[in-house]
Amino acid sequence: MSLFSLFGFGSSKIKAALLHGAIVIDVRTAYEFDQGKIPDSINIPIDRIAINTERIKAMNRPVIFCCASGMRSNIAKKIMKDKGLKEVYNGGNWQSVLRIVNQR
């Protein structure tokens, strides 16, 4: 089992989600987000995911979480899965997701 499958992310799943209109939510701190980000992504730091559950659900789109390494985005994915969101993905490192976005 690869590290990517352990955390539940892979480029084919992320590509497919993006093709279906997924929104990218970066769960890094605002400072980290300001240092580099994916165009059109939204910054909701990990400590604010739970209180933004309804906002995220109301987007009615698949959600891809990303962060610096994949750890915080995995936590965000678990939180939202527990809150009933069906189409949610751990994109892992934001730069990896950016490369996928730029391939489209």
Side-chain angles (χ1 to χ4, degrees):
M1 178 180 290
S2 74
L3 182 61
F4 287 113
S5 61
L6 176 67
F7 286 112
F9 49 83
S11 63
S12 62
K13 288 183 179 182
I14 301 305
K15 285 179 188 177
L18 287 166
L19 288 173
H20 289 100
I23 186 76
V24 176
I25 299 177
D26 191 318
V27 296
R28 295 177 297 153
T29 65
Y31 176 79
E32 289 173 295
F33 187 73
D34 288 343
Q35 301 307 304
K37 59 187 161 241
I38 298 167
D40 300 321
S41 63
I42 297 170
N43 179 229
I44 304 175
I46 188 64
D47 62 339
R48 300 200 155 277
I49 290 297
I51 63 173
N52 279 283
T53 299
E54 294 308 315
R55 174 184 172 203
I56 295 168
K57 284 181 170 183
M59 293 176 186
N60 274 340
R61 295 166 65 185
V63 175
I64 300 168
F65 289 110
C66 65
C67 64
S69 69
M71 298 299 285
R72 289 175 281 183
S73 54
N74 194 49
I75 293 168
K77 174 187 170 187
K78 287 180 180 180
I79 290 169
M80 292 309 298
K81 282 273 191 188
D82 289 347
K83 300 285 186 178
L85 193 64
K86 302 282 188 240
E87 255 190 292
V88 59
Y89 304 90
N90 177 2
N93 177 290
W94 75 272
Q95 293 166 323
S96 297
V97 178
L98 178 61
R99 282 191 290 276
I100 294 168
V101 167
N102 286 338
Q103 290 175 358
R104 296 185 327 169

